[in-house]
Amino acid sequence: MTHTDAAPDAGVRQPSAETILPTSSTPDSRPVAIGITVFRPDAAQVAALRARVAAETRRTIVFDNGGLPAEEAAHLTARGALVLSAGRNIGIGGALDAIAQAAIAAGAAQVLLLDQDAAFSPDQVSALEAALARLRGSSPPPAVVGPRPDAAPGRKAPDYPRRPKIPAAGSLVPVEFLATSGSLVDLAAYARIGPFRSDFFIDGVDLEWCFRAWAHGYGCWMETGTALPHRVGAGVIRSNLLGIEMPRQPLFRMAAYLRNSVYAWRLPHVPRRWRLRQAAYLPLQALLFWADAGYRPGVLAQLAGAVLDGLRGRLGPPRGLP
């Protein structure tokens, strides 16, 4: 599982060091807002974004982490979208928080988070909205509901481990965590759980937030009745000998994944069962990634440095970030 600012009224993009959030004196009566993060979108992704904004009746918020042409931002703004940016790449955690805060300012009760590759229809959004409504009054109360993950052609779908000791509710299954793309977040729960970790920057943001949600007495649920294809990475790395497969990612992303995973071991809300699983799994993933990279010494050095950064708590933008 990724800038110039858009003025909310005029649609004019202005340089700024901080995210500009809108103010709202007339709250939106629609309960769900749509939040989409973009980073260096290609022509097909821009076209899909245009089509989604044109077809969507819900409030749509776009956060540009870099690479969205000014004319495209103006086009989206003219068609009712709110385009935000910080003038630089602030990572997925910071972008998601900006979207959530904008949705709150607009009066939304929930926000559906999507990345620029997500093909998720308005009907599926309604299905998640209905699923969240079915969980009202449950214990623990829901923080987020997301679709069943499917693998796009040539990609690997994420795996959502089942949350132990919590019974399913029909087609809704309690899970340890969900990918942010496709997740419908309850904004009242978000306000109590707290923001996504911007210092994680790109990987593990969703895992940490969901573990924190469970620790705060909220639940994370997968709606098995609807699915979202995931397009993480550029293909799949497999090892029949080790019995594992993983997305083929750029080196800086693999390093960020290792760093954030190791750092998360110190967080009290991350369950011991997950720490033990990762302690066994991460070395195998690092070995498989290194082998796929041709056993280059520089790759191994960067992976080892990432682990050391995690142990020392050195977070923020990962080394080697383009």
Side-chain angles (χ1 to χ4, degrees):
M1 21 353 130
T2 224
H3 313 240
T4 6
D5 281 86
D9 297 323
V12 177
R13 292 157 69 80
Q14 306 165 350
S16 172
E18 300 297 334
T19 302
I20 293 178
L21 294 180
T23 57
S24 176
S25 57
T26 56
D28 197 324
S29 61
R30 291 164 292 186
V32 177
I34 308 297
I36 305 171
T37 55
V38 299
F39 177 69
R40 296 182 179 177
D42 59 29
Q45 290 165 338
V46 169
L49 183 58
R50 278 187 173 217
R52 168 172 284 281
V53 169
E56 185 59 72
T57 59
R58 300 171 177 89
R59 180 61 154 157
T60 301
I61 304 162
V62 177
F63 193 95
D64 172 27
N65 247 338
L68 182 67
E71 62 272 18
E72 294 297 342
H75 175 93
L76 296 172
T77 301
R79 280 149 184 80
L82 175 62
V83 182
L84 303 174
S85 181
R88 55 192 168 87
N89 183 356
I90 62 171
I92 188 66
L96 294 175
D97 282 323
I99 288 171
Q101 292 297 326
I104 291 170
Q110 300 104 34
V111 62
L112 189 282
L113 303 173
L114 297 170
D115 63 29
Q116 63 195 19
D117 291 318
F120 207 63
S121 71
D123 286 345
Q124 288 179 293
V125 181
S126 297
L128 292 187
E129 188 178 5
L132 194 62
R134 294 201 306 274
L135 290 169
R136 297 294 181 201
S138 64
S139 181
V144 58
V145 174
R148 183 184 77 251
D150 277 357
R155 309 297 176 91
K156 180 186 181 298
D159 178 36
Y160 302 156
R162 173 93 180 242
R163 182 77 176 183
K165 301 180 181 179
I166 305 290
S171 61
L172 286 159
V173 176
V175 290
E176 298 274 36
F177 52 80
L178 297 151
T180 50
S181 184
S183 290
L184 181 64
V185 177
D186 182 277
L187 289 171
Y190 166 87
R192 295 187 177 184
I193 295 162
F196 297 97
R197 287 196 68 128
S198 60
D199 55 358
F200 273 27
F201 201 82
I202 195 167
D203 275 290
V205 174
D206 39 15
L207 279 76
E208 189 279 332
W209 192 85
C210 284
F211 281 137
R212 190 161 17 111
W214 283 109
H216 278 74
Y218 289 89
C220 303
W221 295 81
M222 176 178 64
E223 170 56 87
T224 58
T226 190
L228 174 65
H230 285 262
R231 295 173 173 84
V232 177
V236 179
I237 307 173
R238 293 185 178 87
S239 171
N240 294 328
L241 178 63
L242 298 177
I244 62 174
E245 60 179 27
M246 56 187 285
R248 180 175 283 109
Q249 300 272 36
L251 177 56
F252 81 91
R253 285 210 60 174
M254 182 63 188
Y257 166 71
L258 287 174
R259 181 197 69 181
N260 295 346
S261 296
V262 170
Y263 176 82
W265 293 348
R266 72 176 66 185
L267 301 176
H269 53 271
V270 174
R272 183 172 180 268
R273 61 182 174 275
W274 180 253
R275 299 178 205 173
L276 293 175
R277 173 176 171 169
Q278 288 235 302
Y281 192 47
L282 287 178
L284 298 179
Q285 287 183 300
L287 177 61
L288 185 56
F289 185 92
W290 185 39
D292 187 67
Y295 296 103
R296 286 181 287 155
V299 171
L300 182 61
Q302 187 163 339
L303 296 181
V307 171
L308 187 59
D309 285 343
L311 292 171
R312 292 177 173 175
R314 294 176 178 172
L315 305 179
R319 300 180 187 184
L321 181 71

